[in-house]
Amino acid sequence: MASGLSAGARHGLLVKGGAALEAIGGARTVAFDKTGTITAGHPRVTDVRPAEGVRETEVIRLAAGVEPGSSHPLARAILAEAAARERPASRPRRRRARCPARR
């Protein structure tokens, strides 16, 4: 199982665990999403949908702030988008959440 996961990873295939790998063996049909992985060979950010009152640039900046140490393909896509928008990654500030039940 581990060698199958490792071989897939060397070829850019991300499989979450042995059970998923076994299920793939019985697949007769495969559907792909539109992340850019089919045509470009790697994921890329296509849309950013921030919550009301939050700027798109802030979402990209904060998302990139938690990704610099990661080699995951989605992390690289986020960092590339931040670089393309000239928004350097920055760590999110720690905020203390207030619980309404506590005073």
Side-chain angles (χ1 to χ4, degrees):
M1 198 61 57
S3 64
L5 292 171
S6 178
R10 282 193 301 272
H11 291 84
L13 178 64
L14 301 175
V15 179
K16 188 174 181 177
L21 187 62
E22 286 180 359
I24 290 170
R28 298 290 172 254
T29 305
V30 178
F32 294 93
D33 65 12
K34 301 277 289 168
T35 60
T37 55
I38 296 171
T39 56
H42 59 278
R44 65 183 180 85
V45 175
T46 59
D47 297 295
V48 178
R49 298 182 182 177
E52 188 175 326
V54 179
R55 292 185 321 272
E56 191 173 291
T57 54
E58 182 73 355
V59 172
I60 292 293
R61 184 184 67 77
L62 292 173
V66 297
E67 300 296 0
S70 178
S71 62
H72 190 280
L74 296 180
R76 290 193 308 252
I78 290 168
L79 290 170
E81 182 68 16
R85 292 174 182 231
E86 297 178 347
R87 298 286 177 212
S90 65
R91 288 277 196 218
R93 287 173 278 151
R94 287 185 178 252
R95 292 186 181 172
R96 186 177 295 260
R98 293 194 317 203
C99 179
R102 292 186 179 180
R103 300 206 183 246

